[in-house]
Amino acid sequence: MIDIKIIRNSPEMVKDSIVKRGGRYLKTFEELIEKDEKWRQSLKEVEELRNKRNEVAKKISSYKVKKTEPPKEFLDEAANIKATIARKEENLKVFENEVSQLLLSIPNIIDSTVPTGNSEEDNKVVYEDISNKREFSFKPLSHYEIGEKLSILDFDCAAKLSGSRFALLKGKGAKLERALIQFMLDLHTQNGYTEIFPPFLVTRKTMTGTGQLPKFEEDLYKVVSDPELFLIPTAEVPLTNMYMDSVIDEELLPLKFTAYTACFRQEAGSYGKDTKGLIRNHQFNKVELVWITTPDYSMTALEKMREDAELVLKLLKLPYRVIELCSFDLGFASSKTYDLEVWLPSEKRFREISSCSNCKDFQARRMNTKFKNSMGKLEYVHTLNGSGLAVGRTFAAILENYQNSDGSVTVPEVLRKYTGFDKI
RNA sequence: GGAAGGGUGGCUGAGCGGUUGAAAGCGCCGGUCUUGAAAACCGGUAGGCGGUUUAUCCGCCUCGUGGGUUCGAAUCCCACCCCUUCCGCCA
């Protein structure tokens, strides 16, 4: 969440940021301002009463300590105040809850360098590497056509087991998926990331820490037998929350984590979109990157993290480009985001394969994660996350970009020591 | 799932109804001593929120979480969560 003091001191700046996102949150914002006013008024009243109560209690205490009876008028006054407080506190609690819910529903302030835009058309291409883009002498097939022909992907079987938007990998396909995970993790751990294998189920509080809750509950899978537990939609959630409610030594920063996890998303609201193949499934694999840094370093960290994710594509020799998301397309928790997009020959277009975001102190404030700065003061850390990469989409990109006219697929060189075969 | 014990400041750990927001130690910051460092000694050192200021004061809240008892709760009661140990079950 953003600092409510910033909202109070510069409401126009925050409003401007919300408008640039497309104005979806304007109503919430205005309601927040209104409720905050009421809450502070109510708080003032209650605090004054509590102050009175404390003073009377202190007076009574001075008699009790001396083992003498306090005057009856003190006791009566105290009882009186108590009743009033109880009434007013109930009121206060209502405002307090409303304000905190509203505050949790306001998106992050966008960074000043983010291009303003009204649709994803306004996203900016900042880099392109198509040196590995092939000219096909035949009509390139889609990854699911290739996969099904080679019997390494079976969507019918997956649908039988689980319904739509699931994949079943078989034989060399299953092994290629595993090889990709291993390759990515090895690469990142060599680059200074600490590998984590986190829980795939996390609590409501954890989901709130990174911003998936309370706004986006309909995107998550929940556990029916335990309403506090949710399946992670990304490893960003457990990784970033590792330092929830704690103070980190500044010397430990930046912390860099990588993890492979399965990810689970309901994909509500994407009916009819990417219904075939590996692009948009309810369950998919991803290798994630997370940084926890000091505020002055987080923008540099974003560039570094993006490069670490790009390296995977470079080594796999896949054509890709880097997009800087415009204000409209920016995620809820992010203040600045780069997307990496890989070339899919069958679609003749680039598709998102990684998203690298600087969330600044937005998540840290929700998680209560701080560090002690050089002045000895506690300060919120900055958090960043990025995919390094989405495994299923990488799988798809390999099938498409490395397909041969005879229907076979060549395994990228860097993967061969993991797969043990060079052709599918 | 059952039983017992426990969750206190950045950390360790005392307190178990009335100036206790909290002893002591560690750590950290400043100072003395020293050519410098260490040691020793002296002093300082929780966070959040509201108001007032813009840097000063006042107030409120916080001893796992949420309720309750009381004029007053870290301290008593209830529920829940987590940790440790033992038993049971189990990949």
Side-chain angles (χ1 to χ4, degrees):
Chain A
M1 64 193 155
I2 56 186
D3 190 348
I4 194 157
K5 284 179 195 157
I6 294 179
I7 297 179
R8 285 176 196 150
N9 295 334
S10 0
E12 287 311 313
M13 188 270 280
V14 178
K15 191 177 174 179
D16 185 53
S17 169
I18 286 168
V19 168
K20 281 182 180 161
R21 281 178 181 270
R24 280 154 289 185
Y25 298 94
L26 260 183
K27 218 178 129 209
T28 311
F29 177 72
E30 267 146 24
E31 200 179 344
L32 172 65
I33 298 223
E34 186 188 313
K35 291 282 155 95
D36 178 50
E37 197 79 30
K38 287 187 176 162
W39 171 70
R40 277 189 289 171
Q41 181 57 37
S42 175
L43 180 66
K44 206 174 155 188
E45 284 173 26
V46 169
E47 286 189 351
E48 275 163 13
L49 283 167
R50 290 206 274 229
N51 179 230
K52 237 189 245 175
R53 175 199 62 195
N54 291 347
E55 269 165 13
V56 176
K58 220 175 264 177
K59 281 189 218 162
I60 294 171
S61 167
S62 67
Y63 288 92
K64 290 282 185 180
V65 172
K66 285 181 269 180
K67 305 268 191 225
T68 57
E69 270 309 301
K72 187 169 176 299
E73 50 175 304
F74 285 174
L75 293 174
D76 286 348
E77 194 190 351
N80 223 331
I81 296 171
K82 190 183 173 174
T84 317
I85 289 182
R87 222 178 43 237
K88 298 250 179 187
E89 270 184 344
E90 226 164 284
N91 208 3
L92 176 68
K93 210 174 288 175
V94 172
F95 285 130
E96 212 166 56
N97 281 337
E98 284 176 341
V99 168
S100 65
Q101 284 303 106
L102 288 167
L103 192 58
L104 286 171
S105 305
I106 301 282
N108 201 358
I109 298 171
I110 60 182
D111 187 76
S112 57
T113 61
V114 169
T116 303
N118 301 312
S119 76
E120 57 181 82
E121 305 290 306
D122 297 317
N123 292 340
K124 224 168 78 190
V125 179
V126 295
Y127 180 79
E128 196 169 83
D129 180 352
I130 49 168
S131 57
N132 296 304
K133 198 163 155 185
R134 281 172 60 197
E135 288 301 327
F136 288 91
S137 56
F138 55 96
K139 186 172 181 288
L141 298 177
S142 70
H143 70 275
Y144 46 86
E145 289 169 313
I146 301 165
E148 284 183 331
K149 278 189 179 159
L150 290 171
S151 292
I152 59 171
L153 291 176
D154 191 337
F155 294 102
D156 291 339
C157 183
K160 183 168 68 180
L161 298 174
S162 309
S164 66
R165 290 200 191 285
F166 285 92
L168 185 136
L169 284 67
K170 213 161 44 178
K172 285 183 172 177
K175 194 159 188 192
L176 177 63
E177 181 89 353
R178 178 155 60 88
L180 277 168
I181 294 166
Q182 189 116 340
F183 163 66
M184 291 179 196
L185 285 174
D186 281 353
L187 181 66
H188 297 315
T189 51
Q190 278 157 30
N191 273 329
Y193 289 82
T194 302
E195 184 174 348
I196 304 289
F197 192 80
F200 291 8
L201 298 178
V202 300
T203 61
R204 183 173 290 276
K205 189 183 176 202
T206 304
M207 283 293 186
T208 307
T210 28
Q212 281 71 23
L213 290 178
K215 279 288 289 176
F216 307 105
E217 186 155 353
E218 68 279 6
D219 297 338
L220 301 172
Y221 281 104
K222 24 189 172 247
V223 177
V224 172
S225 61
D226 186 343
E228 280 309 296
L229 285 179
F230 297 82
L231 276 75
I232 54 170
T234 159
E236 165 201 343
V237 176
L239 293 188
T240 311
N241 277 291
M242 278 167 61
Y243 284 85
M244 173 202 295
D245 289 322
S246 44
V247 176
I248 306 171
D249 282 339
E250 191 175 0
E251 305 88 79
L252 293 175
L253 300 176
L255 288 164
K256 297 162 68 177
F257 298 112
T258 185
Y260 150 73
T261 70
C263 302
F264 305 90
R265 299 185 185 176
Q266 293 234 48
E267 295 299 344
S270 56
Y271 301 109
K273 239 179 172 179
D274 306 317
T275 47
K276 280 190 156 172
L278 296 170
I279 300 300
R280 193 178 300 277
N281 284 164
H282 290 310
Q283 176 192 320
F284 61 96
N285 292 320
K286 184 155 60 70
V287 170
E288 185 76 357
L289 306 173
V290 161
W291 286 57
I292 299 176
T293 83
T294 54
D296 58 337
Y297 190 65
S298 70
M299 274 305 174
T300 309
L302 179 62
E303 302 300 322
K304 289 190 184 288
M305 188 170 76
R306 192 197 77 196
E307 284 165 23
D308 292 338
E310 273 181 65
L311 186 56
V312 180
L313 289 165
K314 279 194 204 299
L315 291 173
L316 289 171
K317 299 196 161 136
L318 289 168
Y320 74 96
R321 64 179 190 181
V322 182
I323 298 289
E324 182 175 358
L325 295 192
C326 76
S327 58
F328 180 87
D329 221 16
L330 212 58
F332 180 76
S334 176
S335 74
K336 185 180 176 77
T337 297
Y338 291 111
D339 274 5
L340 306 189
E341 297 184 333
V342 72
W343 178 254
L344 290 188
S346 74
E347 299 186 8
K348 292 192 172 51
R349 62 163 170 159
F350 288 96
R351 297 295 302 248
E352 176 186 339
I353 199 165
S354 169
S355 191
C356 300
S357 300
N358 183 358
C359 297
K360 298 192 181 165
D361 64 358
F362 185 83
Q363 295 177 320
R365 186 168 275 111
R366 290 167 165 253
M367 297 188 301
N368 186 29
T369 305
K370 302 182 181 181
F371 74 102
K372 203 171 239 174
N373 66 20
S374 49
M375 306 290 286
K377 280 277 164 206
L378 292 179
E379 204 179 331
Y380 287 112
V381 296
H382 279 195
T383 60
L384 301 95
N385 63 77
S387 349
L389 307 165
V391 181
R393 290 186 180 185
T394 309
F395 186 109
I398 288 172
L399 293 199
E400 295 205 5
N401 284 282
Y402 282 86
Q403 62 183 301
N404 303 312
S405 56
D406 63 359
S408 68
V409 171
T410 306
V411 174
E413 219 171 299
V414 286
L415 287 179
R416 289 181 194 164
K417 66 171 174 177
Y418 294 104
T419 55
F421 48 81
D422 54 17
K423 208 170 199 186
I424 306 172

